[in-house]
Amino acid sequence: LWPVAAETSVGWICMHMQGNPQNMQRAPHYEDVVGEVWEFLDARAATATGAGIGEVWIDPGIGFGKTVAHNLALLRDLDVLTRGQYPVLVGLSRKSFLGALTPNPDGSIAPAHDRLEASLAGAVWATTKGVAMVRVHDVRATVAAVRIVCDEVAGA
């Protein structure tokens, strides 16, 4: 969609996804997930910038063609993405990998509506790592959690 964004003078978000929605979760594989995602995003964002798009964001695509381990590696090393020239957006609210990290007592993956605490932890973590925007479902709770950590604790 970057050509459309360039043509219409709007901002554009470059998101990484291995495969397509029909096959992205079949067997995601990376030699170096952080490095490969970074290279993809940096190259695509540079192309879009070169085409005249003034506002380009990058999104590592948490949950899109990635295992739980891949998602955690990307979150752990978000500073690789945030030290670049493009602002970073992360959408991890209620993602299934969070349900796998916070399973039900019987070991099954927690349903989306039971992933609030994990979503808040992820949003706060991402923010402290320099992410400029988080996509969330629970706005009020996320704003409160981020403010407590970023404004009150870090600002203290």
Side-chain angles (χ1 to χ4, degrees), residues 7 10 15 19 23 44 47-49 60 62 71 81 87 95 97-98 111 113 123 125-128 138-139 143 150:
E7 197 174 292
V10 298
M15 187 188 86
N23 65 22
R44 294 297 192 292
T47 299
T49 301
I62 301 292
N71 292 322
L81 302 177
K95 294 278 175 101
F97 89 98
L98 296 175
H113 65 272
W125 172 261
T127 303
T128 63
D138 303 284
V139 176
V143 168
C150 295

Side-chain angles (χ1 to χ4, degrees), residues 114-147:
D114 284 341
R115 299 176 190 161
L116 175 61
E117 294 86 351
S119 295
L120 294 175
V124 168
W125 172 261
T127 303
T128 63
K129 296 290 272 184
V131 167
M133 185 186 311
V134 290
R135 196 256 327 133
V136 302
H137 292 89
D138 303 284
V139 176
R140 174 177 261 149
T142 304
V143 168
V146 169
R147 280 188 177 153

Side-chain angles (χ1 to χ4, degrees), residues 14-90:
C14 175
M15 187 188 86
H16 180 273
M17 175 173 56
Q18 189 177 73
N20 60 52
Q22 292 74 36
N23 65 22
M24 67 184 180
Q25 291 306 118
R26 286 193 190 140
H29 176 76
Y30 301 88
E31 294 298 320
D32 171 15
V33 67
V34 176
E36 291 172 42
V37 168
W38 167 246
E39 287 177 18
F40 172 89
L41 293 171
D42 189 52
R44 294 297 192 292
T47 299
T49 301
I53 299 175
E55 182 180 8
V56 176
W57 290 67
I58 59 173
D59 177 347
I62 301 292
F64 288 85
K66 294 162 185 81
T67 64
V68 172
H70 295 144
N71 292 322
L72 291 174
L74 286 164
L75 289 171
R76 189 176 308 113
D77 292 332
L78 275 172
D79 56 329
V80 170
L81 302 177
T82 60
R83 70 177 174 225
Q85 69 181 27
Y86 305 103
V88 178
L89 161 72
V90 172

